[in-house]
Every structure is written in structure tokens, then in C-alpha cells.
Amino acid sequence: MPVPAVKARPPMQLVIGGGVALVAAIFVLYPIFYLLQAAFAVGDPNVRPPEAYGLDNFARLPDYWEIMLNTLSVAFAATLMALVFGFLTAWILTRTNVPFRKTLEQMMAVPYYVTPLLGALAWSLLGAPESGFINQVWRAMGGTGALIDVTGAVGIAWVMALFEGSVAFVMISAVMRSMDPSLEEASQVIGAGRFRTMMKVTLPLVAPGVLGAAIYVFAEMLGSFTAALVLGTPSRFYVITTAIYQLVSQYPPRMPLAAAMGVSLFAVMFIMLFLYRRVVAGRSYVTVGGKAFRPRAMDVGAFRWVLFGICFLYVFLSVILPFATLIYASVQRLAVAFPAADNFTLEHYRTAFSLNAIRSAMGNSLVLGFFTATLGVAVTGLIAWLIQRSRLPGRGVLEYIVMFPQAVPRLVFAFGMMWAWLVFPIPIYGTIWLLLIAYVTVFLPLGVRTITGVLVQLDKSLEECGEMCGASWGYRLRTITMPLLRPGLLAAWLLIFIASVRELGASILLMGPNSKVITPAIVEAFFSSSSELTAAMALIQTVVIGLAILVLVPLIKRASQHGSSSA
Amino acid sequence: MTTTPHIDVEDLVVQYGPVPVVGPISFSVSAGEQLTLLGPSGCGKTTTLRAIAGLEKPVSGRIQIGGQVMYDGARGINIPAEQRGLSMVFQSYAIWPHMSVFENVAYGLRVRRKSGAEVRQRVGEALELVQMAGFADRMASQLSGGQQQRVALARACAFSPSVLLFDEPLSNLDAKLRGDMRVELRELQHRLGVTSLYVTHDLEEALAMSDVIIVMKGGHIEQNGSPEDIYNRPRTRFVADFVGSANLIAGRLEAASSQGSDVTLHTDDGVVIRGVAHGRKRGERATLSVRTVHFMLSDDAAIAAPNNWPVTVRRSIFLGDMRQIHVGWAGQEIIIRQTRGPEWREGQQARLSVEPEHCVLLEGD
């Protein structure tokens, strides 16, 4: 007897999801393809597609051993410093009874928002060998020469560690927080002393997490650009990223060599991140259980004020001192360490606001940020859902592709984009559209990671129940998934918005004369005009971003609530 | 009564990657019947349920519901879950925290584009059914576990599905509430007359709620029968062991008893015990299963039943509702559970007896 079958409707998931996934994959892989092509092309660099392929460009790299050495020593020093800061502060804040722990914990996230650019500008005002405030004070006290110098390897590493190293703190404290205190208690009950427990139980348990953080931070530092650009370039101290920028922006540009450098850097970072995944995935110690516990805080007595001092010092060096310096410098005619009444002025702010280039750059950045964040949340939200929840084939591959930009420094990625879109039939090179594509692509990992973090906490059966009630995919997304994900979507929107408005590495290569954005404009000002004006511009940018967030967040909240309640 | 089964599963196979999790298994559920899949965790019972629901894609086999093919591996048919017209109660309840109780229950009706009046009426009825009528305007996040369970049930019933699927719906409730809900669920199921498929690892739940129980192990069906069948006449060692507590007695079958229903077993210590075969396959080596509650222990030395032996009490444990007594018998320990009788003491002499019909021959050795 033939049995009738219900007619299945066309799978919307496959059409829409597959489409978005495909576009994202093209945006990610297309530039990478052109980057590789440029790196392996030999012969006339102006002929495209290339006449022949070979390793000639890579063979020239050993001539630049000094740059490689600089890169390695800066990355190594920065990683070391970041780990020391991170480990100390993580241990203090998770395992001791340090006073004001909650406040300090919140303060630890702030340096990340200060950004390497502000940090580098501020520390160049503080620690430049001649004019640095600290060195001025040092000489006034009778010292000779420079007390500190932030234009060399150690100085650049110092700024990178302070402003880009907070991920070490986040990773290490996550490990320490997830450690079941009963593991240590078991050791003490058996009769081991506190020191023995520390050496035999605590350290081995946190070691894989610390190692993972070390590898991750080292990879980040290899690809770090901003601090080295601001601090190193004036004194001709180059690391690989600033060298690539130099090779691309000089006249005549040396694209093939830059591409070879970019590919090498990207290969090394890729290996590091692969190692990191191995270390984290291969961690055989189950320290993260489902049970909620607060790790036991060690009573350290009066020593806790010393520990408080250490945490405060970190916040002081990475937040308070840089901002104070920028504010102080921005209101002086000529930035000097010692105040003089006739030296104060608001002229730099007046200049900054009156410069048409700056006004349009800020405007462009805000508009771009808004659209990048909105588009980015829609795309990454859908992709995160497809990866985590759908039963579509190839979602594992999709995850690798969208997380790919994380392994490529934005500058190198932008180089690939520049090369790729120059030959694209539709002339979008040098327009704001290219920047939008670039931003959405490079912030795919940020959005996917943020939204996935919230999505995995959402019980799968909440959506499955909608399925069993007969709701279609689109209806379920609108009535169940999106409302429940709203905090995560909002967080992703904000993170992408902030990251876009402050983006430097990709923008500096891709912006055209009519599509200027603010952060590269600030860097240009730093190189071409005074550091006082630059300080004023950087502060204006920070305040404008803050104001934009204050205005936009309630608007988005309302819009998203309206969107879901109308269902 | 319809002659065709309401749910019909044929040679269903589900795999996670290369690992087979279920099957091939076949069974069917008649209209209005409650069938329970029972088994330990990892036996594939939930996967089977999810495959029927459409939440898991099988690799081969056939699923038919209400005469319509929902999945057919050979013909490449796989109807999405939302178009199968089933309903399901989830282990975690899956109550949507961002909606009120009313909106939760109304969801399936809104999907079906029912009019406002009809939605109100049927949500009201569904909430009435689970005694939650006063809670319609509450936010779902303000409910207790038991209340969430009831709302989940109301939501599953509100759009009058013809089949209800239950995935361990009571496992997150505390023991007392679980007992109450068990009775209520059974009543509800009878009142609605809906065909239901229930998954649990809890024996009592399965016994109390089902018309038919399927015991599963390693993705396969161990036994399919009524609760009485499963309990009184386990087919395999696994069922005897998993479904309640049983004493397993191994030995050699007497050749003369290999005909008819009665069997006689000689244990390795030479003790003779009589039992029944229930048509099971029999070899030379065999095992009998005897429920702990079917053994009787008495101090009356003059019992004249076929199976009775003098024994010594080794241990006596008070469990509240009953007493558990361990005795030495034929070189092994027999466990007896009694609700009445004296307080046995260690070392005391007693008489152990059991009806042959309670000594059930198992398949395999």
C-alpha cells in the first residue's frame, strides 16, 4: 500500500544560512588568496595576474633579520610582562582577600578600552628620551640622560603589555576561578602544608592555562601594530608589522616583499594559535566543573594592602597616568612636565574641531561603526547559530573560516584586501564601502565569539520546543532565539561598534582621500603635527565614542524590544 | 479502534558520526496507547524519541505516524519536526523565560494562526487541565519546578496534538512531587486519549504509567511487553536486573524437563529448583530469575511446597517500607524483601520457599 508523505517545505535555513555563510567565506578567503598570490608572484610586480610563481620574495627575507629580531624581542618581552602582570593580578583578585576586590576586578577591564593608541601616545609624552615628562623630571632632579626610553624594544613591549596584555589576566583568572577548591583542601586534609599544596597541586593545575595564555599573547604580540607604529617609527625601530606598512606606503611601494612578510607572519601566528588550541583542548585536568563555587580566598593579613598596591599600580600605569598625561598635554601650548600659567591653552581643541578632515573622519567613523556593528551582529548572529545549532553539513568548516581573521593581523589582512579589491570590476577601492566590508570581515571572530558565548548557555530544548510546537525556522528565530539572545547581541553590537570606530590596522591601508576615518587621522596628525594636538584629538575621539554609546544603546535596546514584541 | 498502528517504526538506525547509537529497531504504538521506552542512560531511548520527533536525523529505516511517512531512508523523505504535528514535553521543561505563562501555552496555537478568542479559550482549558488556571499572567521565570512542569504539559496539549512525546519529564522533580505527577500524568493521558511515547530510566515510573514497556539496551530492544510481563517474566538477564531487583540462579537444566512449560534446574552445588520457561529458548546451561519479593522466608518448618529449603539468615536490614534479608543458599547469597514477617536476626534458622511460577527462565545462559 503506498503511504502518503507530507510535503516538505523548501528549507529556508539552507537558502539563507548557506547564502550568508558563503558570502562570509568569500569575504574572508578572497583577500587571503590575493595575499598568497602576491607573496609567491615573481617577475614584474605590476603585471596581474602574475607571470610566474616562486619563492624569490621569501628568499629576500633574511636580509631583514634585524626586523625579525626586533619583532621577536618585542613580542617576547611584552608576553613576559603581560604574563607577570596577568598572573599576579589574577592570583591576587581570585585567591586572596585583597580589599576592594570587586572594584579592582572591574578596573582590570579598563586598559583594554584605553586602547594601544592612547596608551602609546600617552607613554610617548611620558617616556620619550628627550622630551618625556618623566625624563624632564629626572633631569630636573639632577639626573643625566634619560631615565626611561619607550622608543626601543623594551619600551614598546611595555606599552603593548599594558594595553594589549589584559587578555592574559582574563585567561589566567578564568583558570584560577574555575579550579575546584576541594582539590587543594584534599591535599591539606592529607597533611600537606600550604607551600607544598601550592607547589604540588595548585601550580600543576593552573600550568596548562598559563601556558595557553602565554602562547595566545605571544601570537597577539607578534601581530601587534599600533604601539610599534607610534613609538618605534620616529626612531626607525621597525617590527614586522610596521615594516610591512612602511613597504606598502613608501614610494615606490614594495608589494611582493610586504606580502612575503605578511604571509610569514600569518604562518607563524597560525601555528601559535594552533598550538594554543592544542594546549587548551588537550588539558586533561578537569578544572571546570558544572558546580558553582567561589575559590577559597587566602587570608594574607596586612600583606593584603601590599597586594592592593600592586593592583592599583597596574590601574594607575595603564589608565590614570595615561589619561592624566593626555589631558595635561592637550591643554598646553608646548607640552612640558612643569606647569606654567602662560603655557595653558584650549587652542588645540579649537584646532581639532575646526579641521574639516577631522570632522569628516570622525563622522565617517561613527557612521561606519554603526553600520558595521548592525550588519556584523546580523551576520555573526546567524553564523553563530548555524555553527552551534543547525544540522547543516559543513558547519565545522564554516567555524574555521569565520575565525580565520583572528590569526591574521588586521594590517596584513587589509593588505590582502587592497590587492584583491584593486582588481575587482566594481570600483570600491578607496571608498567607504571597502572599509565597511573590511570591518565586517575582520570583526567576524569578535562577533561570533561573543554571540556564541551566550548562545551555548541557552538550553537547546528552548528552541526545539518551538520546533515541536510547529513553528518555522524564521518564526522560532524571531520569537524565541533572538529575544533570549538579546543581551549577547547587544554586547556584540557594542564591542564591534567600539572596535570599528577605533580600528587602525586595516583602515590605515584601505582608507582613501575621500573616505578618511578617525584613528588613522590621529596617527597622521601625530607624525605630521604636534603631540599636543594629537592628544586633544585622541581625547575627543574617546569622549565622542562614549557619547555615541550613551545615545545609541537605549535606542538599540528599544528597537530590539519593539522588534520582538511585535511578533 | 484503527487497525493500523498510530506510530510505526521500522528498522530505524541512528548514528552519531560513525558510531551507531540506535538500532536497527522496530516497534509500533497503537492509537491512544501509552508506550514507554525504558533503559539506563546511553541506551538510545532518548535518541529514538528525538528521531521520531524529527529532532534527530536517522540514517536508515522508516517512521510512520498516523499513516503518513515522516521519515524514509530509502525514499529520502525526512519531514522537519515542525511539520510532523507532534508535541513534546522536555526534560528541562524548556519554558521560555521571556514570555508569560499564557504566551508559553499559546505558542503552538499562534503558530497555527488561531483567532484571539480561540487562543484564549484553549489556553484557558489547557491551564485548567493542569490546575494552573490562576497563573496565566505570571512570567514563566517566576514559577517553581513543579509549576514549570505543569505549564510545559499545558503547552504540549494546548494545540490538541494527536501524539505526545515525553522525554524524562519528571526526572528534575523531587521524589514526592514525582510520585504525585506520575498519577496525574496517567490520568491526563487517559482523559485526552492521546497516543503517547514516554522515555524514562525510572522503573516505577514506567510500570505506573504505561500500557506497553520497551526495555532498551545498547540501542536495541531487550523486551517489549506489558508492565506485568516485563516485571514478572523478564526475558533476559539484563531486564531481570534492570527492572527491579532479582536473584539470578545459574545451573544445569534437567534434560527430562526440556518439554512443556515447567523446567527443573540443578545448581552447581546440587540444589534443585523448579521454574517455568514461558516459551523461552533453552540450552543446557540456564539461569532462573527470582524477584526479591517473590521469595518467602518463614519460621514454619512444615511447608510442603515444591521449592523449599532450610537456610541461615546472614543479614537483616530495615528499609522502612520493607525489610531486606540476606540468606545463604546453594553457595550464593539470596536477597529477599518482605513487607511483613518477623524481624529476622543474623544466624537465625529459617525456611526459604518460592512458587515455581515465579522462577523464570532467562534466555542465554
Side-chain angles (χ1 to χ4, degrees):
Chain A
M1 178 185 82
V3 185
V6 182
K7 264 249 162 10
R9 276 175 243 148
M12 285 274 282
Q13 249 183 65
L14 197 66
V15 178
I16 294 180
V20 168
L22 192 72
V23 170
I26 290 173
F27 278 0
V28 171
L29 297 179
Y30 184 59
I32 297 288
F33 169 74
Y34 274 93
L35 177 69
L36 290 172
Q37 193 191 53
F40 289 100
V42 292
D44 188 349
N46 295 320
V47 179
R48 300 182 66 183
E51 303 163 309
Y53 293 96
L55 291 172
D56 294 18
N57 299 323
F58 291 93
R60 254 176 258 140
L61 289 182
D63 299 345
Y64 300 87
W65 62 271
E66 205 178 343
I67 288 169
M68 309 300 161
L69 189 67
N70 285 347
T71 311
L72 286 177
S73 41
V74 165
F76 185 76
T79 307
L80 199 67
M81 289 184 215
L83 280 184
V84 171
F85 287 145
F87 191 88
L88 262 180
T89 46
W91 178 75
I92 291 170
L93 290 174
T94 56
R95 308 307 303 273
T96 71
N97 61 340
V98 69
F100 306 110
R101 178 156 75 177
K102 276 261 152 344
T103 318
L104 283 176
E105 241 168 53
Q106 283 162 358
M107 294 300 289
M108 293 306 290
V110 179
Y112 174 77
Y113 292 99
V114 175
T115 74
L117 177 62
L118 266 82
L121 291 176
W123 275 95
S124 92
L125 283 162
L126 283 166
E130 287 304 315
S131 58
F133 293 170
I134 293 175
N135 291 324
Q136 287 183 27
V137 173
W138 167 250
R139 279 192 294 271
M141 281 166 31
T144 51
L147 179 63
I148 60 165
D149 177 7
V150 293
T151 61
V154 177
I156 292 171
W158 165 256
V159 171
M160 277 159 61
L162 275 182
F163 300 96
E164 292 176 86
S166 46
V167 62
F169 164 77
V170 173
M171 285 178 158
I172 297 173
S173 62
V175 173
M176 289 197 174
R177 199 170 292 141
S178 64
M179 201 170 67
D180 187 344
S182 64
L183 295 172
E184 286 170 299
E185 282 159 10
S187 162
Q188 287 181 331
V189 166
I190 291 167
R194 197 180 263 183
F195 180 73
R196 200 186 172 86
T197 302
M198 178 94 173
M199 296 307 289
K200 291 280 177 188
V201 178
T202 317
L203 279 181
L205 278 173
V206 298
V210 175
L211 180 64
I215 296 173
Y216 188 89
V217 172
F218 188 71
E220 294 267 286
M221 296 306 181
L222 283 178
S224 169
F225 175 57
T226 312
L229 179 72
V230 171
L231 297 172
T233 314
S235 58
R236 302 200 163 276
F237 179 94
Y238 290 110
V239 295
I240 191 159
T241 46
T242 50
I244 293 170
Y245 175 64
Q246 189 63 36
L247 289 172
V248 172
S249 55
Q250 72 187 15
Y251 192 82
R254 301 183 63 185
M255 298 293 187
L257 187 61
M261 279 190 182
V263 168
S264 311
L265 173 59
F266 150 59
V268 173
M269 280 179 70
F270 201 74
I271 293 168
M272 301 300 291
L273 291 176
F274 177 75
L275 271 181
Y276 164 76
R277 283 187 88 128
R278 283 295 292 272
V279 166
V280 172
R283 192 166 50 172
S284 56
Y285 317 115
V286 181
T287 55
V288 187
K291 272 190 293 182
F293 41 68
R294 176 100 207 160
R296 211 166 30 123
M298 198 190 288
D299 189 350
V300 288
F303 191 59
R304 68 207 197 103
W305 290 101
V306 177
L307 299 182
F308 173 81
I310 293 175
C311 291
F312 181 79
L313 185 68
Y314 175 71
V315 173
F316 177 78
L317 291 175
S318 59
V319 181
I320 300 172
L321 186 60
F323 269 113
T325 305
L326 287 177
I327 293 169
Y328 180 64
S330 70
V331 293
Q332 289 186 303
R333 258 177 241 293
L334 190 70
V336 288
F338 300 101
D342 60 348
N343 196 18
F344 285 109
T345 175
L346 285 176
E347 170 200 323
H348 304 303
Y349 286 94
R350 219 170 294 134
T351 314
F353 279 119
S354 68
L355 283 176
N356 215 355
I358 297 302
R359 276 156 65 175
S360 77
M362 194 70 233
N364 282 344
S365 280
L366 289 176
V367 170
L368 264 174
F370 181 85
F371 284 106
T372 306
T374 309
L375 196 63
V377 164
V379 170
T380 56
L382 196 60
I383 288 175
W385 189 91
L386 287 172
I387 292 170
Q388 293 299 322
R389 291 294 160 87
S390 79
R391 294 159 215 142
L392 295 183
R395 37 183 216 282
V397 179
L398 180 62
E399 182 175 10
Y400 268 98
I401 292 173
V402 294
M403 295 312 276
F404 205 76
Q406 197 171 19
V408 192
R410 290 203 294 268
L411 179 82
V412 175
F413 196 85
F415 177 71
M417 286 199 76
M418 186 173 88
W419 217 224
W421 295 102
L422 267 174
V423 294
F424 196 68
I426 303 168
I428 66 165
Y429 181 74
T431 67
I432 205 156
W433 297 104
L434 184 59
L435 284 171
L436 181 65
I437 294 175
Y439 286 180
V440 170
T441 317
V442 298
F443 295 129
L444 279 176
L446 179 65
V448 170
R449 222 179 325 118
T450 309
I451 296 174
T452 302
V454 188
L455 188 61
V456 293
Q457 287 172 21
L458 213 63
D459 185 1
K460 212 167 82 175
S461 54
L462 289 167
E463 289 169 87
E464 286 176 348
C465 189
E467 225 170 323
M468 296 310 296
C469 283
S472 67
W473 180 57
Y475 192 86
R476 291 200 303 273
L477 281 187
R478 196 156 50 85
T479 56
I480 300 172
T481 317
M482 270 168 56
L484 289 174
L485 270 188
R486 193 180 297 136
L489 296 175
L490 193 63
W493 194 95
L494 268 180
L495 285 176
I496 297 177
F497 176 78
I498 295 172
S500 305
V501 180
R502 298 176 140 171
E503 213 293 324
L504 175 66
S507 324
I508 202 165
L509 282 188
L510 295 176
M511 73 175 186
N514 297 319
S515 62
K516 284 208 180 301
V517 284
I518 187 68
T519 313
I522 293 174
V523 172
E524 270 175 14
F526 178 76
F527 287 133
S528 60
S529 61
S530 73
S531 39
E532 296 81 9
L533 176 63
T534 316
M537 286 165 62
L539 288 170
I540 291 171
Q541 183 198 22
T542 306
V543 172
V544 169
I545 292 174
L547 287 177
I549 291 169
L550 283 182
V551 175
L552 289 172
V553 167
L555 276 179
I556 293 165
K557 262 192 180 151
R558 202 176 320 149
S560 67
Q561 245 147 22
H562 181 76
S564 67
S565 64
S566 69
Chain B
M1 282 297 281
T2 48
T3 47
T4 51
H6 196 170
I7 303 175
D8 193 34
V9 175
E10 273 174 67
D11 300 324
L12 186 73
V13 179
V14 186
Q15 289 187 349
Y16 291 150
V19 190
V21 213
V22 170
I25 63 169
S26 305
F27 62 90
S28 54
V29 193
S30 308
E33 194 177 62
Q34 168 137 2
L35 182 136
T36 298
L37 299 174
L38 173 68
S41 57
C43 73
K45 54 189 192 300
T46 295
T47 308
T48 307
L49 185 84
R50 289 171 58 85
I52 292 170
L55 298 173
E56 216 74 66
K57 191 170 185 264
V59 292
S60 67
R62 219 148 81 100
I63 299 168
Q64 247 174 269
I65 297 167
Q68 287 187 313
V69 176
M70 294 300 169
Y71 172 79
D72 190 330
R75 285 160 67 192
I77 298 171
N78 185 29
I79 307 297
E82 68 259 28
Q83 290 167 42
R84 294 194 180 188
L86 314 176
S87 190
M88 183 158 165
V89 179
F90 288 81
Q91 181 172 18
S92 61
Y93 316 139
I95 294 296
W96 297 305
H98 61 295
M99 297 182 195
S100 66
V101 167
F102 183 93
E103 282 306 321
N104 262 282
V105 178
Y107 193 86
L109 296 163
R110 294 219 194 279
V111 168
R112 286 166 179 75
R113 300 180 190 282
K114 301 292 181 202
S115 70
E118 188 179 351
V119 169
R120 270 192 301 283
Q121 186 208 337
R122 292 177 63 175
V123 170
E125 284 167 8
L127 286 175
E128 198 75 52
L129 199 66
V130 297
Q131 300 157 31
M132 291 286 291
F135 291 82
D137 297 328
R138 276 298 171 91
M139 277 314 277
S141 47
Q142 302 167 329
L143 301 178
S144 71
Q147 290 169 332
Q148 288 193 25
Q149 168 70 69
R150 285 163 192 273
V151 173
L153 199 58
R155 177 177 60 188
C157 300
F159 55 91
S160 312
S162 63
V163 174
L164 266 176
L165 307 175
F166 295 90
D167 182 13
E168 309 218 18
L170 304 183
S171 63
N172 284 341
L173 298 176
D174 61 59
K176 172 93 176 58
L177 204 53
R178 196 156 59 215
D180 297 346
M181 281 305 285
R182 209 181 275 161
V183 178
E184 271 185 48
L185 265 181
R186 182 66 172 153
E187 265 178 25
L188 192 77
Q189 199 259 333
H190 273 295
R191 214 176 329 153
L192 297 173
V194 60
T195 307
S196 36
L197 194 56
Y198 194 98
V199 160
T200 183
H201 62 264
D202 184 308
L203 167 73
E204 280 185 53
E205 213 168 289
L207 293 175
M209 307 204 28
S210 331
D211 299 313
V212 178
I213 295 177
I214 289 179
V215 182
M216 288 183 69
K217 178 198 173 194
H220 292 274
I221 293 178
E222 281 281 308
Q223 190 171 358
N224 179 345
S226 70
E228 288 79 7
D229 257 348
I230 300 279
Y231 188 83
N232 290 325
R233 292 176 285 282
R235 194 179 63 87
T236 62
R237 186 184 278 264
F238 175 80
V239 177
D241 215 34
F242 184 76
V243 180
S245 44
N247 294 287
L248 300 176
I249 300 162
R252 188 173 47 78
L253 273 190
E254 201 173 87
S257 74
S258 59
Q259 241 113 88
S261 176
D262 296 341
V263 290
T264 307
L265 187 90
H266 293 261
T267 71
D268 297 339
D269 280 33
V271 180
V272 176
I273 177 166
R274 286 170 200 220
V276 286
H278 288 298
R280 309 261 190 260
K281 287 178 288 191
R282 49 186 104 177
E284 200 190 330
R285 296 285 305 173
T287 305
L288 295 182
S289 153
V290 187
R291 294 268 169 230
T292 52
V293 294
H294 288 147
F295 268 121
M296 280 177 298
L297 202 59
S298 72
D299 43 14
D300 178 6
I303 294 178
N307 286 334
N308 82 91
W309 309 272
V311 290
T312 307
V313 173
R314 283 190 185 166
R315 189 156 297 156
S316 170
I317 305 157
F318 178 59
L319 295 178
D321 286 349
M322 58 179 86
R323 177 173 289 279
Q324 177 167 319
I325 307 125
H326 299 225
V327 301
W329 178 87
Q332 71 181 97
E333 196 164 69
I334 294 290
I335 297 168
I336 304 138
R337 286 191 173 166
Q338 291 191 326
T339 48
R340 281 167 306 179
E343 281 178 36
W344 295 96
R345 270 175 230 302
E346 284 164 39
Q348 206 174 337
Q349 297 299 310
R351 197 118 195 124
L352 179 71
S353 62
V354 61
E355 297 287 335
E357 65 166 303
H358 288 140
C359 305
V360 181
L361 183 72
L362 300 179
E363 268 177 25
D365 56 352

